[in-house]
Amino acid sequence: MPQTLKYRLKNIFIHQLKDLGTFLSVLYAVVLGSAIMILEYTLHLESIFSIAIVDTYTRLLSVTNVLISILIGISLTTFSVIFVVMQLASSQFSPRILRHFLINDFKMQKFIGLFVGSISLCVLPQLASVFSPERPFLATLAVGTLFAFYGLSWSYPNMITYLSINMNVSSITNRIKVDMIEEINILYQENWSLGKNVSYKRAEIHPDKFKVSVVSPFDSGYLDSVNYVKLKKVTAYILRSEVGFCFENAYQKPIVGEFIMKGTTTLLTLVFDQDLTPAQVQELQNQVGSIVKDAFQVEQFRSHTQDINFGVRKLVDIAIKAISPAVNDPTTCLNCIDQIGEIAKELAIKEFPSTDAKSLKSEHIQVNEFNFEEFVDFCYDQIFQWGKEDPTVIKRMIRSIRIILPLVENPFHLKVLIQQVEDMELADIYNMTNHANGTLKISKEKLVTIENELLQFRKKAKQQILRLQQKGILSFYEANRVSVNEAICSIQFDAIAYLNAYNQ
């Protein structure tokens, strides 16, 4: 619970306080400066400390102005260099990775806030002296000078070190992975265990049912998130209305992260077992539309909130760009595959659908989400498409999936991971015939390493299948129909049949 609260508070800072650096600078300059000035105006410091206030203020002022000039000069130069580096990183890796670099990084916001706030805190007493020339605000100027000196001598070197570390591609990909794992643990709070459904299937609307569509009132953009607490008001309103007796379900149509077109994309479909009058339909669209407008969040850009695929999309973009002829940086691609593997591992042990989606079924709301098979395809398919002739990339993909296998007890998830490698059909690419005729331009040694990696993968897969058989998991799902949904039952029995056949 504390971790969940911490994560939600972090999201508030990241996604709602967009100008956090400015916010911190205001905290330094206005709040702290005003407090010191009021205190200084009330007390007579010259009588307390026995110092010549005016003379000391005049001498300190010249030092302060020099510090401000240096701080402004260094800040402008540094941030000019930062933007150049960000542009280079954006073009080399992906334009999506640095879009919110200065907004999402709390440490960078503290650096910006300290620089801007220190300058403002030094200027504030000088500005106040214009309106109150007989009272120099020495204490306020001294505090501003100390902040400026601290920023110049300590924070500035720390910022340069921090930037040099965090602009590295390993830091970027690791930060994406950490954000995605945190989001997974928020969305999928329960691990899979014996007796639960092996998969998730989107609910389908019967074609003969009466449907009312609620289209997007938002400007075109991407579905950023859905507030499911507010969305519950939809069914609460309908069930209280005159058409509540024939209401069945509300279906969320787009997945979070999809592109939404104004006045075109259907956000919610309401299903009834009786036909409604045009007046009733219009009333529903108006009332439910206002609730939907409050519950759905559409933004110009995608974010990590409720959108795990977006984090994976960024890692895949970096990976395929890294192995392109223009960049030719396979090590970066391998780094991305490792991070994708860790995200896939975290999701492989979770129960589908998400915690919110399961709870909303009792509220007559069907949430639209991806399943594990779609997620794994999204992780690896494009990288394989562009890197299938690079044995180093292929070996790392096989290895990243192989490492996950011993942790997976869900038969369907295990089948998906095994099938992901087997469907690559590597034997058709990496064989002696292609090597002999020159189609495969790698050394024989590399060819042997791919074959050995495949052997290791299959050995590990069969060991995990045997472990599931010994635990009774495969026999349980072979003998029992866990779900009332025929499509899920079909997936369940297909997965068991595939694993049994693979282990022969």
Side-chain angles (χ1 to χ4, degrees):
M1 187 66 184
Q3 284 295 109
T4 303
L5 181 61
K6 177 183 175 183
Y7 185 71
R8 286 177 178 168
L9 288 173
K10 176 185 172 185
N11 274 341
I12 291 172
F13 274 100
I14 289 175
H15 299 295
Q16 295 182 24
L17 292 176
K18 295 295 185 182
D19 299 311
L20 194 55
T22 307
F23 171 78
L24 289 172
S25 67
V26 169
L27 186 68
Y28 284 130
V30 176
V31 179
L32 182 61
S34 299
I36 297 173
M37 288 175 68
I38 291 169
L39 184 65
E40 194 171 7
Y41 194 85
T42 307
L43 302 174
H44 295 283
L45 296 181
E46 62 273 14
S47 60
I48 298 174
F49 297 104
S50 301
I51 57 174
I53 295 292
V54 176
D55 184 50
T56 307
Y57 178 85
T58 304
R59 282 183 285 144
L60 183 61
L61 191 60
S62 59
V63 177
T64 303
N65 290 336
V66 170
L67 280 174
I68 291 174
S69 301
I70 295 172
L71 203 59
I72 291 174
I74 288 178
S75 300
L76 289 174
T77 304
T78 302
F79 284 106
S80 298
V81 173
I82 288 172
F83 286 121
V84 172
V85 173
M86 286 172 60
Q87 182 61 38
L88 290 173
S90 178
S91 59
Q92 183 175 354
F93 303 133
S94 170
R96 281 161 289 282
I97 63 172
L98 299 174
R99 188 179 67 235
H100 296 310
F101 175 71
L102 296 179
I103 292 176
N104 287 4
D105 196 313
F106 188 70
K107 273 197 172 183
M108 278 302 302
Q109 294 292 341
K110 287 198 295 185
F111 289 135
I112 295 170
L114 179 62
F115 291 155
V116 177
S118 297
I119 294 169
S120 302
L121 198 57
C122 291
V123 172
L124 187 63
Q126 300 182 52
L127 184 64
S129 297
V130 174
F131 301 98
S132 181
E134 72 284 351
R135 182 176 290 277
F137 295 94
L138 177 61
T140 311
L141 187 66
V143 171
T145 305
L146 288 174
F147 270 109
F149 185 76
Y150 171 78
L152 192 62
S153 61
W154 181 257
S155 287
Y156 178 71
N158 280 348
M159 184 188 73
I160 297 300
T161 304
Y162 179 78
L163 282 172
S164 64
I165 293 172
N166 283 272
M167 292 298 288
N168 182 280
V169 67
S170 296
S171 298
I172 293 170
T173 56
N174 184 68
R175 190 162 59 242
I176 295 170
K177 182 230 13 204
V178 169
D179 286 344
M180 290 303 95
I181 289 178
E182 286 181 345
E183 195 65 38
I184 287 170
N185 289 327
I186 292 294
L187 297 176
Y188 300 87
Q189 297 177 11
E190 296 181 23
N191 289 349
W192 184 88
S193 59
L194 181 65
K196 295 181 178 180
N197 289 336
V198 299
S199 183
Y200 155 73
K201 192 76 175 174
R202 292 185 183 89
E204 296 182 356
I205 303 174
H206 196 282
D208 296 334
K209 298 290 184 180
F210 186 84
K211 297 177 282 292
V212 177
S213 296
V214 180
V215 298
S216 171
F218 304 100
D219 291 335
S220 296
Y222 293 92
L223 181 57
D224 180 77
S225 61
V226 182
N227 187 323
Y228 291 115
V229 174
K230 292 181 179 179
L231 194 62
K232 290 179 182 179
K233 296 178 183 178
V234 169
T235 53
Y237 164 75
I238 295 174
L239 291 172
R240 290 196 309 267
S241 69
E242 61 180 9
V243 297
F245 71 96
C246 62
F247 173 68
E248 289 191 356
N249 279 303
Y251 293 81
Q252 175 190 326
K253 300 302 288 182
I255 296 175
V256 173
E258 285 188 9
F259 186 73
I260 307 297
M261 296 180 67
K262 183 176 183 179
T264 303
T265 303
T266 299
L267 297 180
L268 209 65
T269 298
L270 311 175
V271 177
F272 299 84
D273 58 16
Q274 291 183 18
D275 290 357
L276 305 184
T277 65
Q280 289 173 329
V281 171
Q282 186 64 46
E283 178 67 16
L284 276 173
Q285 288 176 331
N286 291 338
Q287 296 298 324
V288 174
S290 63
I291 299 173
V292 165
K293 189 173 182 179
D294 191 36
F296 283 70
Q297 186 87 12
V298 176
E299 300 288 352
Q300 185 181 359
F301 303 111
R302 292 174 71 177
S303 75
H304 292 168
T305 308
Q306 298 182 4
D307 191 0
I308 299 165
N309 283 339
F310 180 55
V312 175
R313 173 76 267 162
K314 291 195 286 187
L315 291 172
V316 170
D317 283 350
I318 297 170
I320 59 179
K321 187 171 280 191
I323 54 176
S324 67
V327 178
N328 194 22
D329 181 15
T331 303
T332 293
C333 179
L334 301 184
N335 181 276
C336 291
I337 292 170
D338 291 338
Q339 304 291 12
I340 289 170
E342 194 162 350
I343 295 171
K345 177 209 75 175
E346 197 70 26
L347 208 54
I349 62 175
K350 297 295 184 180
E351 180 190 4
F352 280 72
S354 67
T355 305
D356 281 336
K358 285 185 294 183
S359 66
L360 286 168
K361 283 184 179 180
S362 61
E363 304 283 344
H364 301 279
I365 297 174
Q366 300 287 340
V367 176
N368 191 6
E369 296 181 340
F370 59 86
N371 61 30
F372 186 70
E373 184 174 22
E374 293 168 331
F375 176 77
V376 171
D377 288 343
F378 190 70
C379 287
Y380 294 104
D381 282 359
Q382 268 197 302
I383 299 176
F384 173 73
Q385 176 64 32
W386 296 104
K388 59 187 175 186
E389 294 184 0
D390 187 332
T392 306
V393 172
I394 294 301
K395 278 174 57 183
R396 189 59 66 91
M397 288 179 67
I398 297 171
R399 190 173 301 173
S400 75
I401 297 174
R402 173 166 61 85
I403 293 170
I404 302 172
L405 297 181
L407 304 172
V408 181
E409 295 191 344
N410 184 325
F412 175 69
H413 290 186
L414 183 60
K415 175 226 175 188
V416 166
L417 292 169
I418 295 172
Q419 205 168 34
Q420 182 67 33
V421 173
E422 296 297 343
D423 285 354
M424 293 177 185
E425 298 180 339
L426 296 176
D428 293 342
I429 302 172
Y430 294 91
N431 56 59
M432 290 304 298
T433 303
N434 287 343
H435 183 267
N437 62 26
T439 305
L440 188 63
K441 296 180 175 61
I442 62 171
S443 65
K444 188 175 180 180
E445 181 186 3
K446 291 288 186 183
L447 180 59
V448 172
T449 60
I450 292 291
E451 292 173 348
N452 288 338
E453 195 66 48
L454 269 173
L455 287 173
Q456 289 295 320
F457 174 85
R458 287 167 179 158
K459 180 182 177 182
K460 187 70 72 173
K462 289 180 180 181
Q463 287 175 348
Q464 184 61 12
I465 293 171
L466 181 61
R467 194 174 293 116
L468 298 191
Q469 288 174 339
Q470 292 170 345
K471 286 187 171 184
I473 294 175
L474 297 190
S475 58
F476 176 84
Y477 283 99
E478 193 172 22
N480 296 282
R481 299 171 67 88
V482 176
S483 176
V484 295
N485 187 311
E486 285 297 324
I488 294 178
C489 287
S490 177
I491 291 172
Q492 171 187 322
F493 294 129
D494 286 348
I496 301 301
Y498 180 90
L499 295 179
N500 286 331
Y502 192 84
N503 202 33
Q504 296 301 321

